[in-house]
Amino acid sequence: MEVNITPWQVTRLLAILTVTPVLVLVLQYLYGVFRALRSPLRHIPGPWYSPFTTLHLRYGFATGKIWKLVEQSHKTYGPIVRLGPRQVWISDKEAMKQILLKVDLPKVAMYAEISRDRRSPGLFGEIRPMPHKRLKRFLSPAFTVSYVDNLDVFFAKTIRSLLDKYQASISPVDPARSGYEVDLMDDLHNVALDIMGECSFGRGFGQTNPDGEIEDGVDEKVWKSIPRSIFDGLSKRYQTVYIKRFLRAMGLDVNFDWPKEMIVVRPPPVEHLGYMFRKRLTGLAQAIDAVVQKRHRSADFARPDLLQHLVDEGQKPDTLTTMNTRDIVDQMSEVLLAGSETTSGTTACLFLELARNPSVRARLLDTLPVLDMNDDIVTSKSVRNEPQFTYLEACIKETLRLHPIASEMGRRTGDQWVKLVGYDLPPHTVVSASYRDLHRNEQYFPQALRFWPERFLPEGERGEAPPADMDAYYPFSAGKHSCIGINFAWAEMRMIAANLLSRFDVVEVSGQDIDFRQYITMQFSTGHWKAILIPRRPSPEAASV
Ligand code: HEM
């Protein structure tokens, strides 16, 4: 049978094929707007465009500027604000308790998106309740106070590297120099990475001291590039969340593996040739694989660190099968992310506040010992227990209040209606807990923008300062998703701050414009902050010049 199709019919068919999907999309959007306008969230204050679009949120998350919109919105609309069709932000103290502890809302799906594989995430990205519970129970023994106290030696090694680097800079024959300029943000970040390397990967990454030894049998370049590769991989996944979701809706599940620069094709060592799967691992996994295999092979290489814990007993929390190298890398990369930018960013903010608040700095330096470069490294246990460090502890607590590195946390109402700040929130509402705005609320912390460590001193030692409202203080969150690394973070911040400030005074290099960007954590937007470190006691070399 012959079918005759006229050009006019072809044109009509094409028009129908083009117009129909567009029409479906437009109708879908209009239905969404209709629902958003009628949603019970319509009573919550917020900008007029909130019910119609999430474009401004996507822009904010992709550019790291979301915190500015949130800050401004809380200022304008109060402790609860609607910023999207089903997105609200909350900075109220009682509501925060409900979100984190009483109702204990689940994490939003966004967390899982930073993992290499959404179905095999690390603790941070694990949003399925049972696997999360198992994983946290399994990892927790590697984060207790006593476990972390045993890691002091690794912390001390890295801090010594930093001091050595500074000592080398102090020595130049320049008697006129009373101090020397450093990129403190960069240095602190490198120290944090090396500490994570020492404590979780079995070896520092050679960031603080590029001449330090690295793991035997591992390509040096690959090993040193591990942190950069992990960060690139994680931030690429974070920045492309919405694109990935869109593609998934179209049937394309895109997973960003470790970045290309890490995929170094090296012939596997002869003894490994039989393991074909290993050929497919990236350079990163190959580097880590060498360490994992070494630890598997002999107890002589065992170390009391997170890696050992994973190598000895690691099981995937959903299938309960033994973790392979790649699973271990997935776990450790999230710990690296959660554990390096956080402590380095907070410590940098501590130094920034000290540099900008001379009276606080003077009081702090007065309380601390004055050490020579070669003196022993002060341990975190000493800082924790000795009274001379009480004010330093208060300064760190105040930094965590004013600059909470996780400025907000994404939760959702799940299948339930939840009442918060007097509003009934329907199922599937995204509820962001605004820590930063809670911590900066005048009601809970009078003169909230003032760096005032005395708030955290014991009664009778606070002077004029009001006591900190601990019910409105969540730097490490609370509830089942609270920070597993809190003891680790405290140990690191204590040791770095005590050891630097016992040796140096700190002054800011003028003319720097400090701004922040929020990519999961808050970071200095340029990634740099320059300061002048002035030795509190000249080193013997400097004195003899
Ligand atoms: C000053 C330093 C730190 C701060 C302020 C901080 C803060 C936080 C906060 C607020 C959360 C909750 C995030 C959420 O629920 O959305 C969190 C979770 C987490 N943190 Fe930290 N953190 C710090 C350092 C560390 C360190 C050093 C490690 C590891 C060595 C670490 C590992 C983690 C992990 C794995 C999670 C996910 C926990 C879970 O979901 O159960 N953090 N952190």
Side-chain angles (χ1 to χ4, degrees):
M1 190 181 73
E2 200 174 300
V3 180
N4 281 330
I5 301 177
T6 63
W8 184 81
Q9 282 171 319
V10 173
T11 315
R12 225 175 109 188
L13 192 67
L14 282 177
I16 290 172
L17 285 177
T18 319
V19 168
T20 309
V22 173
L23 205 65
V24 169
L25 283 178
V26 169
L27 286 175
Q28 233 177 17
Y29 175 73
L30 289 177
Y31 179 62
V33 169
F34 175 73
R35 281 185 47 172
L37 283 171
R38 286 179 47 87
S39 154
L41 301 181
R42 67 185 182 278
H43 303 296
I44 297 176
W48 64 266
Y49 50 82
S50 300
F52 306 112
T53 178
T54 52
L55 276 179
H56 54 296
L57 300 179
R58 291 166 197 233
Y59 172 78
F61 281 117
T63 55
K65 293 181 179 160
I66 187 71
W67 67 273
K68 294 191 181 186
L69 173 68
V70 173
E71 183 177 85
Q72 191 49 49
S73 303
H74 277 307
K75 255 189 210 136
T76 313
Y77 302 104
I80 180 163
V81 53
R82 183 187 191 187
L83 285 179
R86 53 185 191 90
Q87 285 85 359
V88 298
W89 267 257
I90 292 181
S91 66
D92 175 79
K93 179 168 94 171
E94 285 312 312
M96 202 66 79
K97 213 180 277 175
Q98 270 180 287
I99 293 170
L100 299 172
L101 294 164
K102 290 191 186 154
V103 188
D104 195 5
L105 298 183
K107 280 180 169 179
V108 287
M110 180 97 147
Y111 284 83
E113 301 282 354
I114 59 155
S115 310
R116 180 188 59 81
D117 176 353
R118 279 184 309 131
R119 285 149 303 217
S120 169
L123 184 66
F124 189 72
E126 184 54 86
I127 56 174
R128 299 165 297 178
M130 188 40 81
H132 175 267
K133 197 172 169 184
R134 284 200 194 116
L135 198 53
K136 196 143 192 175
R137 203 183 303 137
F138 165 69
L139 292 174
S140 291
F143 289 98
T144 61
V145 173
S146 55
Y147 197 95
V148 173
D149 275 349
N150 287 332
L151 299 174
D152 258 9
V153 51
F154 302 131
F155 287 59
K157 184 176 162 192
T158 308
I159 293 170
R160 175 60 67 202
S161 280
L162 181 67
L163 292 178
D164 287 350
K165 178 177 140 176
Y166 286 166
Q167 193 154 25
S169 321
I170 291 174
S171 308
V173 189
D174 181 3
R177 250 175 120 180
S178 55
Y180 57 103
E181 193 177 304
V182 297
D183 185 338
L184 199 53
M185 179 68 255
D186 204 39
D187 287 343
L188 292 172
H189 189 53
N190 287 335
V191 167
L193 289 174
D194 278 339
I195 286 180
M196 289 308 297
E198 287 287 347
C199 299
S200 312
F201 289 71
R203 185 69 75 181
F205 293 121
Q207 312 286 307
T208 309
N209 178 6
D211 300 327
E213 24 157 357
I214 63 142
E215 192 64 32
D216 288 346
V218 164
D219 183 322
E220 183 172 342
K221 237 169 97 194
V222 171
W223 189 260
K224 287 184 175 165
S225 67
I226 286 176
R228 190 65 276 141
S229 302
I230 288 178
F231 281 116
D232 285 352
L234 292 168
S235 52
K236 203 185 282 172
R237 288 176 209 136
Y238 177 79
Q239 283 164 344
T240 53
V241 164
Y242 290 106
I243 299 171
K244 284 197 303 180
R245 281 196 185 156
F246 175 73
L247 292 175
R248 212 177 293 139
M250 312 288 285
L252 275 175
D253 200 358
V254 179
N255 276 331
F256 288 105
D257 207 327
W258 304 113
K260 260 206 209 86
E261 56 271 24
M262 285 311 298
I263 304 173
V264 180
V265 183
R266 288 189 311 142
V270 177
E271 76 224 54
H272 289 180
L273 275 176
Y275 300 87
M276 290 308 288
F277 77 92
R278 243 178 241 131
K279 282 190 182 176
R280 292 200 300 273
L281 295 180
T282 62
L284 165 61
Q286 282 183 13
I288 307 252
D289 196 40
V291 184
V292 171
Q293 295 312 317
K294 208 159 110 177
R295 296 216 185 174
H296 266 312
R297 272 201 302 272
S298 166
D300 294 349
F301 297 111
R303 269 168 52 135
D305 59 15
L306 178 64
L307 177 59
Q308 197 64 45
H309 191 52
L310 289 161
V311 167
D312 289 344
E313 295 167 56
Q315 284 187 333
K316 291 183 71 149
D318 46 1
T319 56
L320 301 183
T321 50
T322 304
M323 285 183 183
N324 63 26
T325 300
R326 192 159 213 153
D327 300 324
I328 292 177
V329 171
D330 288 343
Q331 294 299 325
M332 293 199 307
S333 55
E334 283 188 27
V335 169
L336 181 80
L337 166 86
S340 52
E341 303 236 312
T342 45
T343 40
S344 60
T346 307
T347 316
C349 287
L350 166 70
F351 281 92
L352 176 71
E353 289 298 344
L354 290 173
R356 291 184 173 185
N357 291 279
S359 61
V360 176
R361 189 170 85 236
R363 179 171 180 181
L364 175 63
L365 294 190
D366 237 22
T367 62
L368 295 177
V370 180
L371 299 179
D372 192 69
M373 292 298 253
N374 298 318
D375 285 337
D376 286 346
I377 298 291
V378 182
T379 64
S380 72
K381 214 181 211 168
S382 305
V383 181
R384 207 165 66 220
N385 297 326
E386 291 173 21
Q388 59 183 329
F389 296 110
T390 306
Y391 193 62
L392 175 61
E393 294 266 308
C395 288
I396 297 176
K397 286 180 184 159
E398 177 68 341
T399 307
L400 286 161
R401 177 192 71 79
L402 199 51
H403 301 282
I405 208 81
S407 81
E408 64 178 49
M409 261 148 298
R411 299 290 188 262
R412 61 191 170 82
T413 51
D415 298 331
Q416 311 290 323
W417 282 78
V418 178
K419 194 174 184 100
L420 291 172
V421 205
Y423 293 94
D424 286 317
L425 308 184
H428 311 299
T429 302
V430 175
V431 180
S432 293
S434 304
Y435 287 171
R436 194 166 185 278
D437 292 276
L438 177 73
H439 284 187
R440 290 173 170 230
N441 189 325
E442 286 288 324
Q443 228 183 315
Y444 315 131
F445 299 98
Q447 299 191 41
L449 296 185
R450 174 172 172 188
F451 184 70
W452 207 359
E454 282 75 3
R455 302 175 204 271
F456 289 94
L457 288 178
E459 173 120 45
E461 293 173 34
R462 282 197 288 271
E464 306 272 285
D469 183 340
M470 297 310 278
D471 285 337
Y473 184 66
Y474 291 97
F476 293 95
S477 188
K480 67 171 179 268
H481 287 292
S482 68
C483 180
I484 196 174
I486 180 169
N487 299 320
F488 194 104
W490 263 105
E492 185 176 328
M493 293 187 298
R494 281 183 180 121
M495 281 183 73
I496 293 174
N499 282 291
L500 287 186
L501 292 164
S502 296
R503 292 173 171 87
F504 301 106
D505 193 357
V506 60
V507 179
E508 186 175 13
V509 171
S510 56
Q512 296 178 91
D513 187 17
I514 301 296
D515 197 0
F516 293 90
R517 62 174 183 215
Q518 178 193 331
Y519 286 136
I520 307 178
T521 56
M522 293 287 265
Q523 303 153 13
F524 285 32
S525 53
T526 59
H528 304 281
W529 178 61
K530 290 193 176 151
I532 297 171
L533 295 182
I534 302 164
R536 295 184 65 192
R537 176 192 288 170
S539 69
E541 290 96 326
S544 65
V545 169

